Amino acid sequence: MGLHTKVRYVIQPQGNDRTEQMRDIIVRAVDLFDRVRPVLCPHEPVITHKYARHLSLTLTFVGFSEEEVFRILTREVVRQRRIWR
């Protein structure tokens, strides 16, 4: 479904348990979004679904499938949009 595993960036999420690792994935994704937002989508205040899908397809988080990463980031998108309103 995504890119071949040889062209992906591999990241080891930090944390002692799965919850901490999921939080690390979210923090890394939001930080990366904040860095590229002025170039890619300056009008968007929070992470987008399209960006979440792109990130899940281009990064490999050890211990998580691309669908799990997308699900985690999608929940964060919904949460941030709810807070932003």
Side-chain angles (χ1 to χ4, degrees):
M1 171 140 176
L3 296 174
H4 192 274
T5 56
K6 290 186 179 182
V7 295
R8 289 179 175 225
Y9 292 101
V10 178
I11 298 174
Q12 176 67 44
Q14 302 299 311
N16 297 330
D17 61 358
R18 192 119 169 121
T19 305
E20 289 179 9
Q21 291 176 345
M22 288 170 40
R23 187 69 200 147
D24 184 55
I25 291 171
I26 292 169
V27 168
R28 288 176 189 253
V30 171
D31 182 52
L32 187 58
F33 179 76
D34 288 340
R35 292 172 190 253
V36 299
R37 183 181 56 164
V39 175
L40 295 180
C41 50
H43 60 282
E44 289 293 335
V46 295
I47 191 172
T48 63
H49 285 280
K50 184 177 180 180
Y51 179 77
R53 172 51 77 190
H54 176 72
L55 198 71
S56 72
L57 294 175
T58 56
L59 298 178
T60 297
F61 290 95
V62 177
F64 293 87
S65 70
E66 65 185 39
E67 285 303 315
E68 287 176 312
V69 172
F70 180 64
R71 225 174 312 119
I72 291 167
L73 294 178
T74 300
R75 283 184 291 200
E76 183 65 15
V77 168
V78 171
R79 188 184 75 76
Q80 284 187 5
R81 294 221 181 257
R82 210 175 306 135
I83 290 171
W84 185 253
R85 287 185 205 165

